[in-house]
Amino acid sequence: AIPHSKWLASPIDVFVDLVVFACGASMAFCLTLAEFELLNETSAMSMMFIGVLKDIINIVCGMLLFGDKFGSANVVGLGLCMVGVVGYNKYKWEQLKLKALTSQRRGDDFDAVPLVEITSISSTSPRRRSDDFTIA
């Protein structure tokens, strides 16, 4: 316990604090897993857009619930950030469409080419060695 403090003075306080800590840590871990899966399925721009959307929701909740002030400079900055994210998403989308169209015309299939291809080397011995795989 902290000297001259009622905080963590009893075993119940320690238990409650550990439960609150474990809940917060679990939520942070789940959020990290969700972000990882989102990045695997989409792009970093989606994460940026969701981050800006989260900031807008936090700001609106802060204004409505706690009476926070949001000045005109804040509005301009947030709007500029949103315009940048939307503009960059539009640019990347157009580039992706252009790449798909040009690869279709040439007959290329970029999606069929893996970044790393692992092939097995047949071994004559029944035991597997650690160098039985090559990266092409």
Side-chain angles (χ1 to χ4, degrees), residues 12 40 47-48 89 106 111-112:
I12 288 292
N40 279 336
M47 286 295 297
M48 186 180 294
N89 264 337
R106 289 186 300 190
D111 291 336

Side-chain angles (χ1 to χ4, degrees), residues 111-122:
D111 291 336
V113 179
L115 294 176
V116 175
E117 183 178 318
I118 299 176
T119 58
S120 175
I121 298 174
S122 60

Side-chain angles (χ1 to χ4, degrees), residues 97-112:
K97 285 193 324 188
L98 182 65
K99 184 178 177 181
L101 286 174
T102 56
S103 68
Q104 251 182 357
R105 288 184 189 140
R106 289 186 300 190
D108 297 340
D109 190 9
F110 290 111
D111 291 336

